[in-house]
Amino acid sequence: MSDKAQRKREGRIRRHRRVRKQVRGTASRPRLAVYRSNRHISAQVIDDMTGRTLAAASTVETGVADSGTGNIAAASEVGKLVAERARAAGVEKVVFDRGGFLYHGRVAAVADAARNAGLEF
C-alpha cells in the first residue's frame, strides 16, 4: 500500500472512531453501519449490546446489483434490501453509522433508499 493510501485509510479510521463515540446501537434502536470500497458497498444492522448482526446486504451477493457494483444504483439497491431484511427482523428505527465516509454519493444513496423502504433514522 502506498504512503498516500495508508494516510487516507488511517484518516477514515480516525473519523470512524470519532463517529462511534456518539453512535451506539441498542436492541430498540440498532446501528446501520455502511462500508464502502472501490468496487462494493455493504450495510449491516447491528445490535452493539449483544454484538449481533440483525440484517445485512452487500453488492457481493449474487443478483443484488446487476448493473455494476460500484455505483449509486447498486448502493440504492443495497439500502432497500437491508431495510427490508431489518423490517423482517422486527427493526423499525436505527441510528446511521457512516463509517468515517462522507455522507455523499453511495453512502447517502444507501441511507435514502433505507429511509424510503421504511427504516426510521
Side-chain angles (χ1 to χ4, degrees):
M1 189 180 306
S2 70
D3 189 42
K4 182 179 178 182
Q6 183 68 27
R7 280 196 318 269
K8 283 180 74 172
R9 184 174 186 278
E10 289 170 356
R12 185 193 73 78
I13 290 170
R14 226 178 7 256
R15 285 189 302 275
H16 191 197
R17 286 188 188 134
R18 249 191 336 257
V19 169
R20 285 297 307 281
K21 283 181 192 175
Q22 302 288 323
V23 177
R24 290 272 183 250
T26 62
S28 62
R29 198 172 173 120
R31 175 171 56 101
L32 174 60
V34 174
Y35 178 75
R36 173 182 62 87
S37 71
N38 287 337
R39 265 188 206 176
H40 295 284
I41 192 158
S42 64
Q44 299 181 63
V45 177
I46 305 164
D47 177 6
D48 287 321
M49 297 299 179
T50 60
R52 290 184 55 232
T53 298
L54 306 173
S58 174
T59 54
V60 177
E61 299 174 28
T62 55
V64 171
D66 297 328
S67 64
T69 57
N71 54 25
I72 290 177
S76 296
E77 200 168 327
V78 167
K80 181 179 152 205
L81 190 59
V82 76
E84 289 170 359
R85 291 176 181 174
R87 289 177 57 95
V91 175
E92 299 291 326
K93 295 182 178 183
V94 296
V95 291
F96 188 70
D97 177 11
R98 60 187 175 90
F101 299 104
L102 288 176
Y103 187 84
H104 180 76
R106 291 188 285 156
V107 175
V110 169
D112 292 340
R115 266 193 211 102
N116 291 339
L119 279 185
E120 245 183 83
F121 56 98

